[in-house]
Amino acid sequence: MDDVAPAKPGSCCHGTVAALIPGAAKDPVCGMTVDPATAQHHAEHDGHAYHFCSAGCRTKFIADPAHYLALAPAPAQVVEGAIYTCPMHPQIRQVGPGDCPICGMALEPVEITADAPPNVELIDMTRRFWIGLAFALPLFLIAMAEHVLGLRLPISATVSGWLQAALATPVVVWAGATFFVRGWRSIVTRRLNMFTLVAIGTGTAYAYSLTAILAPGLFPPAMRDMHGAIGLYFEAAAVITVLVLLGQVLELRARDRTGAAIRALLDLAPKTALRVVDGQPDAEVALAEVVTGDALRVRPGDKVPVDGTILSGASAIDEAMVTGESIPATKGVGDKVIGGTLNQTGSFVMHADAVGRDTMLARIVALVGDAQRSRAPIQNLADVVAAWFVPAVLLAAVLAFGAWWAFGPAPAMVNGLVAAVAVLIIACPCALGLATPMSIMVAVGRGAGMGVLIRNAEALQKLETIDTLVVDKTGTLTEGKPKVEEIVGFGGVSEADALRWAAALEQGSAHPLAAAIVAAARERNLKWGDAADFVSTIGKGLGGTVQGHHIVTGTATFMAASGVDIAPGETAAAAQRAKGRTAVFVGVDRQLAAIFGIADPVKPSSAAAVAELKALGLRVVMLTGDNRATAEAIAARVGIDEIEAEVSPETKNAVILKLKAEGRKVAMAGDGVNDAPALAAADVGIAMGAGADVAIEAAGVTLVKGDLSAIVRARKLSAAAMRNIRQNLFLAFVYNAAGVPIAAGVLYPWFGITLSPMIAAGAMALSSVSVIVNALRLRTVRL
């Protein structure tokens, strides 16, 4: 069951109180909260209304709105009832924005929309960073002038202390306020995280220094230097806060960048469509007004508005952003088109088949969003470490303080305090928390841009371990658009009658071979009625009564079971199979009437894809319900050596289970309804995007174009992503393993080396940056 955090109006990370006033807004100039209903000063910019506390603020805004909007969060467009989740802990879900109770990060909306508001947390953290930096720089110069530059400022120690306090206070108390809020919440909820360590570290340094200038008499000799002075660490608290803010800004920007794939997909959808109505001029309507069944005109250069079928006209359509295929696809009457793809040369009228959330583009966006928030099994390792890590760091800080106090040089307590703060800061586990999710988000986004849709992080991880790929023949290795190539008649029954009676039966089936028979009857302009007493045996054949005749169609086994002697047709059937065709028998009144030779063209890319999969070390097995002779002919064309032929849907599932029992890591690629059980049984199910919805739902990976070569890209992407995750975890583990002891002072007895809390903060930020930069490399890795 999900961990559900209660919605807390006004508890956003940036501490806004706007939610305390219903409908309240923030003055973008001064940041004050104003009530739009009572405010006297207003302005509109870029379609948004802004409200001000005074005429002066309004005048400044109108003079340079871009400047103030860069500093202030834009009006948040929170959809009522919208579910928000944590990007690092997807089990956390709540209605409305807030912070994650586990890691403290700002929650993000589950459903991504094209008109999403700006990233409020990024804007707020950026503003806090720059303002904090403006105070921290002069503070650092004042505090470190003598130590670093050898300069003595012409002010007394007392004045210097108060000046440092004045500069540090806005940095720690205001710019770093969110760290204290999240740190305190982590303690209250007993879910310690990086903000726990940051809050304790900076809070200790600031509180110690403030007490030193307010009540110096409280400090014993052990806390003073040889001259009796008390050390101040305002600059450490301020610089640490600024560096942590910098890390947050970089992390938020990187997370923003990982959503680029989704935003690019959302941007594909046009804003309007041309509706065609008989007898009237084409009407331009908003995309939201298009309904299923509408006729829409698509002109050269237009984007296809929704998913549909071409009614008239033809064109070449660029589907690269959705399918990953760079060569435009030629489309004509009856062909399917995908919403968001780009029409290039021709003009056509299409029937709207799916609109809104039912379009492939909308489903891709939802799938990618869910996958980016999912958890890979390898992340469990990081979670186990993180669960023990923060308490261990707190213990290490206490031990470091005690060791320095007991055995360190004077001032012993101060040195112990500095070491403890350095341990707390350098050990912040942000890099550990980012290691897996960052790589997952980038990899899933990269896959979406190549036509490889990954349902969840577990499928991405498992795909790397696959050593056996089982592929269905029809629609996977072949086009999935079979055609009746030849009809061989028997017993005096005409080709037309055999085809008409067979079509009457086959029109009740969704099988590709049935569609081929019906299409052949239509091409000959044959007429047929409905079949009575219709019986279907999945994967074998059909039976029924048509115009007073008992008709059966299907495999040789089905004919035998139906009492039809197929001996006269064995030679003809073998000849069809030798040509790579499927032999479909037709029986009329228990006599063999015809054999249909049906060919399903092999996809041009299948042979090259199989060769590349073998080069990657995969064992490729073809699975088909077709006759072995036909299967062997197709397998020979694409280079597959292992065949499982004449299998029923139930047997397909059994083949997968048999391979898994042998210790194989199995992926299954298929597109039909009858493939769904096998897809679900495989370690990784791979669905062809043009296939049945149930197959896509059962699969962990969907190939939008339904091309076997995309499996090669998916496998390489999985390997690259897992390699990247291991690199990130190594960086995070090694960094913390080395950083904590050094910060505690283990090198001091031998080398006299200690670590300043400021350097510890810089190292901590650098560790997060290294993980982020490494994860972003997945956007450009060659696949």
Side-chain angles (χ1 to χ4, degrees):
M1 189 172 184
D2 291 348
D3 290 340
V4 180
K8 296 182 180 179
S11 65
C12 296
C13 64
H14 50 284
T16 180
V17 295
L20 299 178
I21 306 172
K26 183 173 284 190
D27 185 325
V29 176
C30 67
M32 286 186 61
T33 299
V34 293
D35 186 348
T38 58
Q40 299 179 4
H41 309 283
H42 314 273
E44 188 168 306
H45 174 73
D46 224 7
H48 291 298
Y50 296 90
H51 312 280
F52 307 89
C53 65
S54 65
C57 284
R58 180 180 181 276
T59 302
K60 291 179 181 178
F61 178 81
I62 292 174
D64 190 3
H67 170 73
Y68 294 103
L69 292 179
L71 295 175
Q77 302 168 7
V78 178
V79 179
E80 186 176 355
I83 302 297
Y84 281 66
T85 185
C86 173
M88 302 302 178
H89 299 91
Q91 71 270 30
I92 300 299
R93 297 166 70 90
Q94 72 173 38
V95 177
D99 294 338
C100 174
I102 297 176
C103 65
M105 294 178 66
L107 303 182
E108 298 176 348
V110 169
E111 185 174 347
I112 301 171
T113 57
D115 56 350
N119 188 326
V120 175
E121 186 183 19
L122 174 57
I123 294 171
D124 184 65
M125 287 289 187
T126 303
R127 178 178 56 179
R128 290 176 186 271
F129 166 72
W130 286 113
I131 294 176
L133 182 64
F135 282 94
L137 282 177
L139 169 60
F140 180 82
L141 292 175
I142 292 170
M144 306 301 290
E146 183 173 357
H147 299 289
V148 177
L149 304 176
L151 300 176
R152 289 187 63 86
L153 299 178
I155 55 177
S156 66
T158 302
V159 172
S160 175
W162 282 105
L163 185 57
Q164 290 179 51
L167 291 168
T169 298
V171 180
V172 177
V173 175
W174 178 78
T178 184
F179 302 147
F180 292 105
V181 172
R182 294 178 181 183
W184 175 250
R185 187 177 303 159
S186 73
I187 295 172
V188 171
T189 59
R190 297 180 183 178
R191 285 170 162 169
L192 306 182
N193 53 47
M194 66 165 286
F195 296 109
T196 316
L197 304 181
V198 172
I200 293 174
T202 57
T204 300
Y206 177 77
Y208 172 89
S209 303
L210 191 62
T211 305
I213 64 171
L214 291 174
L218 296 177
F219 289 73
M223 301 186 75
R224 298 173 183 266
D225 62 21
M226 63 181 66
H227 304 292
I230 306 170
L232 301 179
Y233 296 93
F234 285 119
E235 84 288 350
V239 171
I240 289 169
T241 300
V242 170
L243 287 172
V244 176
L245 283 168
L246 174 61
Q248 289 291 293
V249 169
L250 293 174
E251 178 188 328
L252 289 165
R253 283 183 180 175
R255 276 170 41 207
D256 238 21
R257 237 173 283 155
T258 60
I262 296 181
R263 287 191 292 272
L265 288 169
L266 287 168
D267 289 341
L268 288 178
K271 304 300 180 186
T272 60
L274 281 178
R275 181 183 285 153
V276 179
V277 180
D278 290 341
Q280 299 181 25
D282 293 350
E284 186 171 12
V285 297
L287 193 64
E289 296 179 25
V290 175
V291 297
T292 303
D294 278 351
L296 306 172
R297 187 181 307 281
V298 183
R299 300 165 299 190
D302 286 351
K303 290 181 178 179
V304 179
V306 296
D307 295 356
T309 306
I310 294 180
L311 299 174
S312 64
S315 184
I317 298 179
D318 182 358
E319 299 179 330
M321 189 61 193
V322 177
T323 66
E325 178 58 58
S326 57
I327 301 174
T330 302
K331 303 281 186 176
V333 175
D335 287 335
K336 299 289 184 180
V337 290
I338 304 171
T341 53
L342 180 63
N343 181 33
Q344 291 194 325
T345 55
S347 176
F348 59 87
V349 175
M350 60 175 285
H351 176 275
D353 295 338
V355 301
R357 295 183 179 181
D358 296 328
T359 64
M360 178 178 287
L361 191 60
R363 290 166 64 190
I364 289 174
V365 169
L367 191 63
V368 172
D370 289 342
Q372 287 188 331
R373 288 187 292 268
S374 64
R375 294 165 54 85
I378 196 173
Q379 192 172 341
N380 293 335
L381 173 62
D383 290 345
V384 170
V385 173
W388 292 94
F389 187 72
V390 176
V393 169
L394 292 172
L395 178 60
V398 172
L399 293 175
F401 176 78
W404 277 90
W405 187 9
F407 307 109
M413 291 183 66
V414 174
N415 288 334
L417 181 65
V418 171
V421 171
V423 168
L424 291 173
I425 298 303
I426 201 169
C428 284
C430 43
L432 190 61
L434 290 170
T436 300
M438 282 298 301
S439 297
I440 294 297
M441 286 190 283
V442 177
V444 169
R446 176 78 190 278
M450 301 188 305
V452 177
L453 305 182
I454 298 164
R455 179 172 293 278
N456 52 48
E458 183 177 4
L460 181 67
Q461 178 173 337
K462 284 185 174 181
L463 193 57
E464 182 205 26
T465 66
I466 295 302
D467 56 27
T468 303
L469 174 65
V470 178
V471 292
D472 180 53
K473 176 178 74 69
T474 305
T476 303
L477 290 170
T478 64
E479 296 284 0
K481 297 177 180 178
K483 184 178 181 181
V484 177
E485 298 285 352
E486 188 176 355
I487 300 177
V488 181
F490 297 90
V493 178
S494 69
E495 288 186 11
D497 283 342
L499 187 57
R500 180 173 62 250
W501 292 335
L505 276 185
E506 301 289 356
Q507 67 182 347
S509 171
H511 196 282
L513 297 181
I517 293 171
V518 173
R522 283 202 181 103
E523 286 176 5
R524 301 191 183 198
N525 295 316
L526 300 178
K527 304 295 182 182
W528 64 88
D530 293 329
D533 306 320
F534 180 80
V535 176
S536 173
T537 303
I538 295 176
K540 295 181 180 178
L542 308 173
T545 302
V546 180
Q547 296 177 348
H549 297 282
H550 180 259
I551 311 296
V552 289
T553 63
T555 65
T557 304
F558 186 72
M559 291 294 114
S562 302
V564 177
D565 181 13
I566 63 168
E570 288 286 10
T571 302
Q576 294 297 324
R577 292 166 187 149
K579 297 176 183 178
R581 297 172 182 170
T582 299
V584 175
F585 295 86
V586 180
V588 178
D589 297 327
R590 291 183 171 77
Q591 298 295 318
L592 180 64
I595 293 176
F596 296 159
I598 302 178
D600 186 4
V602 174
K603 292 178 181 178
S605 61
S606 290
V610 169
E612 197 164 356
L613 287 165
K614 286 184 174 181
L616 291 175
L618 269 68
R619 170 186 174 188
V620 183
V621 180
M622 187 174 83
L623 197 64
T624 178
D626 223 333
N627 179 274
R628 174 162 289 276
T630 303
E632 288 176 347
I634 297 296
R637 292 184 196 175
V638 298
I640 294 178
D641 306 315
E642 295 186 61
I643 304 164
E644 292 283 349
E646 301 177 22
V647 294
S648 65
E650 296 81 8
T651 314
K652 286 185 178 183
N653 191 38
V655 169
I656 300 296
L657 296 177
K658 181 186 76 172
L659 289 168
K660 290 177 70 174
E662 294 173 2
R664 291 281 181 174
K665 299 294 184 182
V666 183
M668 163 71 185
D671 73 331
V673 172
N674 59 354
D675 295 324
L679 290 171
D683 292 293
V684 179
I686 302 174
M688 301 293 134
D693 285 350
V694 66
I696 294 172
E697 289 300 319
V701 177
T702 299
L703 309 180
V704 177
K705 192 175 185 296
D707 194 315
L708 206 63
S709 61
I711 297 180
V712 177
R713 297 197 294 272
R715 173 59 184 266
K716 289 181 178 179
L717 177 64
S718 171
M722 296 313 300
R723 184 168 59 248
N724 192 271
I725 288 172
R726 294 186 188 101
Q727 291 167 352
N728 283 347
L729 289 173
F730 176 80
L731 288 170
F733 283 135
V734 168
Y735 161 81
N736 283 312
V740 172
I742 294 173
V746 295
L747 299 180
Y748 182 78
W750 295 277
F751 305 103
I753 296 175
T754 58
L755 198 63
S756 161
M758 286 185 292
I759 296 177
M764 181 268 293
L766 185 62
S767 70
S768 297
V769 171
S770 66
V771 166
I772 291 169
V773 171
N774 191 52
L776 291 177
R777 286 194 311 109
L778 284 171
R779 299 174 68 190
T780 56
V781 67
R782 291 189 62 182
L783 300 175

